[in-house]
Coordinates of all heavy atoms in Angstrom, one line a residue:
Q1 N 0.8 -1.2 0.0 CA 0.1 0.0 -0.1 C 0.8 1.3 0.1 O 1.9 1.2 0.7 CB -1.0 0.1 1.3 CG -1.8 -1.2 1.4 CD -2.6 -1.2 2.6 OE1 -2.9 -0.3 3.2 NE2 -2.9 -2.6 3.0
L2 N 0.5 2.2 -0.8 CA 1.2 3.4 -0.8 C 0.4 4.6 -0.3 O -0.6 4.9 -0.8 CB 1.7 3.8 -2.4 CG 2.6 4.9 -2.6 CD1 3.3 4.7 -4.0 CD2 2.0 6.3 -2.6
Y3 N 1.0 5.1 0.7 CA 0.2 6.2 1.3 C 1.1 7.5 1.1 O 2.3 7.4 1.0 CB 0.0 6.2 2.7 CG -1.0 5.0 3.1 CD1 -0.5 3.8 3.3 CD2 -2.3 5.3 3.4 CE1 -1.3 2.6 3.6 CE2 -3.2 4.2 3.8 CZ -2.7 3.0 3.8 OH -3.6 2.0 4.1
V4 N 0.5 8.7 1.0 CA 1.3 9.9 1.1 C 0.9 10.8 2.2 O -0.3 11.0 2.4 CB 0.9 10.7 -0.4 CG1 1.7 12.1 -0.3 CG2 1.4 9.9 -1.6
R5 N 2.0 11.1 3.0 CA 1.8 11.9 4.2 C 1.8 13.3 3.7 O 2.8 13.7 3.0 CB 2.8 11.6 5.3 CG 2.8 12.6 6.5 CD 3.6 12.2 7.6 NE 3.0 11.1 8.3 CZ 3.4 9.8 8.5 NH1 4.6 9.5 7.9 NH2 2.8 9.0 9.2
N6 N 0.9 14.1 4.0 CA 0.8 15.5 3.4 C 1.9 16.4 4.1 O 2.3 16.2 5.2 CB -0.6 16.1 3.7 CG -1.6 15.5 2.8 OD1 -1.5 15.7 1.6 ND2 -2.6 14.8 3.3
A7 N 2.3 17.4 3.3 CA 3.3 18.3 3.8 C 2.6 19.3 4.8 O 1.4 19.3 4.8 CB 3.8 19.2 2.6
P8 N 3.4 19.8 5.9 CA 2.8 20.7 6.7 C 2.1 21.7 6.0 O 2.5 22.3 5.1 CB 4.0 21.2 7.6 CG 5.1 20.1 7.3 CD 4.9 19.6 5.9
S9 N 0.9 22.1 6.5 CA 0.0 23.0 5.7 C -1.0 23.7 6.7 O -1.2 23.3 7.8 CB -0.8 22.2 4.7 OG -1.8 23.1 4.2
A10 N -1.4 24.9 6.4 CA -2.4 25.6 7.0 C -3.9 25.2 6.7 O -4.8 25.6 7.3 CB -2.2 27.2 6.8
V11 N -3.9 24.2 5.6 CA -5.2 23.8 5.2 C -5.6 22.5 5.9 O -4.6 21.6 6.2 CB -5.2 23.6 3.7 CG1 -6.6 23.1 3.1 CG2 -4.8 24.9 3.0
F12 N -6.9 22.2 6.3 CA -7.2 21.0 6.9 C -6.9 19.8 5.9 O -7.4 19.7 4.8 CB -8.8 21.0 7.1 CG -9.1 22.1 8.2 CD1 -10.5 22.3 8.3 CD2 -8.2 22.7 9.1 CE1 -10.8 23.4 9.2 CE2 -8.6 23.6 9.9 CZ -9.9 23.9 10.0
K13 N -6.1 18.8 6.4 CA -5.8 17.7 5.6 C -5.6 16.5 6.4 O -5.3 16.6 7.6 CB -4.5 17.8 4.7 CG -4.6 19.0 3.6 CD -3.3 19.0 2.9 CE -3.3 20.0 1.8 NZ -2.0 20.1 1.1
A14 N -5.9 15.3 5.9 CA -5.6 14.1 6.6 C -4.0 13.9 6.8 O -3.3 14.5 6.0 CB -6.0 12.9 5.9
D15 N -3.5 13.2 7.8 CA -2.2 13.0 8.0 C -1.6 12.3 6.8 O -0.5 12.8 6.3 CB -2.0 12.2 9.3 CG -0.4 11.8 9.5 OD1 0.3 12.8 9.5 OD2 -0.2 10.6 9.5
K16 N -2.1 11.2 6.4 CA -1.8 10.5 5.2 C -2.9 9.9 4.5 O -3.9 9.6 5.2 CB -0.6 9.5 5.5 CG -1.0 8.3 6.5 CD 0.2 7.4 6.6 CE -0.1 6.4 7.7 NZ -0.1 6.8 9.1
E17 N -2.9 9.7 3.2 CA -3.9 9.3 2.4 C -3.5 8.1 1.5 O -2.3 8.2 0.8 CB -4.5 10.5 1.6 CG -5.0 11.6 2.6 CD -5.6 12.7 1.7 OE1 -6.8 12.6 1.2 OE2 -4.9 13.7 1.5
L18 N -4.3 7.2 1.1 CA -3.9 6.0 0.3 C -3.9 6.6 -1.2 O -4.9 7.2 -1.6 CB -5.0 4.9 0.4 CG -4.7 3.6 -0.5 CD1 -3.4 3.0 0.0 CD2 -5.9 2.7 -0.3
R19 N -2.9 6.3 -1.9 CA -2.7 6.8 -3.3 C -2.6 5.7 -4.3 O -2.6 5.9 -5.5 CB -1.6 7.8 -3.4 CG -1.8 9.1 -2.7 CD -3.0 9.8 -3.1 NE -3.3 11.0 -2.4 CZ -4.6 11.8 -2.3 NH1 -5.5 11.3 -3.1 NH2 -4.6 12.8 -1.7
G20 N -2.4 4.4 -3.8 CA -2.2 3.3 -4.7 C -1.8 2.1 -4.0 O -1.4 2.1 -2.8
F21 N -2.0 1.0 -4.7 CA -1.6 -0.4 -4.1 C -1.3 -1.3 -5.2 O -1.8 -1.1 -6.3 CB -2.6 -0.8 -3.1 CG -4.0 -1.1 -3.6 CD1 -4.3 -2.3 -4.2 CD2 -4.9 0.0 -3.7 CE1 -5.5 -2.5 -4.8 CE2 -6.1 -0.3 -4.4 CZ -6.5 -1.5 -4.8
A22 N -0.5 -2.4 -4.9 CA -0.3 -3.4 -5.8 C 0.0 -4.8 -5.1 O 0.6 -4.8 -4.1 CB 1.0 -3.1 -6.7
K23 N -0.7 -5.8 -5.7 CA -0.6 -7.2 -5.0 C 0.4 -8.0 -5.9 O 0.3 -8.0 -7.0 CB -1.9 -7.9 -4.9 CG -1.9 -9.2 -4.3 CD -3.3 -9.8 -4.1 CE -3.2 -11.1 -3.3 NZ -4.5 -11.7 -3.2
V24 N 1.4 -8.6 -5.3 CA 2.4 -9.3 -6.0 C 2.6 -10.6 -5.3 O 2.7 -10.7 -4.2 CB 3.7 -8.5 -6.1 CG1 4.2 -8.1 -4.6 CG2 4.8 -9.3 -6.8
P25 N 2.6 -11.7 -6.1 CA 2.9 -13.1 -5.6 C 4.5 -13.1 -5.6 O 5.2 -12.8 -6.6 CB 2.4 -14.1 -6.6 CG 2.3 -13.2 -7.9 CD 2.1 -11.8 -7.5
V26 N 5.0 -13.8 -4.5 CA 6.5 -13.9 -4.3 C 6.7 -15.4 -3.7 O 6.1 -15.8 -2.8 CB 7.1 -12.9 -3.4 CG1 8.6 -13.0 -3.4 CG2 6.5 -11.5 -3.7
R27 N 7.6 -16.1 -4.5 CA 7.9 -17.4 -4.0 C 8.8 -17.4 -2.8 O 9.5 -16.4 -2.5 CB 8.6 -18.3 -5.1 CG 7.9 -18.6 -6.2 CD 8.6 -19.5 -7.3 NE 7.8 -19.9 -8.4 CZ 6.9 -21.0 -8.2 NH1 6.9 -21.7 -7.1 NH2 6.2 -21.4 -9.1
A28 N 8.7 -18.5 -1.9 CA 9.6 -18.4 -0.7 C 11.1 -18.2 -1.0 O 11.6 -18.9 -1.9 CB 9.4 -19.8 0.0
G29 N 11.6 -17.3 -0.3 CA 13.1 -16.9 -0.6 C 13.2 -16.1 -1.8 O 14.5 -15.7 -2.0
G30 N 12.2 -15.9 -2.6 CA 12.4 -15.0 -3.8 C 12.2 -13.5 -3.5 O 11.7 -13.1 -2.4

C-alpha cells in the first residue's frame, strides 16, 4: 500500500492518504 503523508499546511488535511496499491505473488526466498 502506498500512502502519501501530506506536507505541513495551514489547510485541513488528513495526516496521510492512500494513493495506490499493488498485489504481488512472491515465492519463498524470492
Side-chain angles (χ1 to χ4, degrees):
Q1 302 173 29
L2 189 159
Y3 296 87
V4 176
R5 177 170 278 118
N6 284 300
S9 174
V11 181
F12 296 163
K13 293 182 181 180
D15 174 57
K16 57 181 179 290
E17 299 174 84
L18 182 68
R19 294 301 178 191
F21 59 90
K23 185 175 182 179
V24 56
V26 188
R27 291 188 175 276

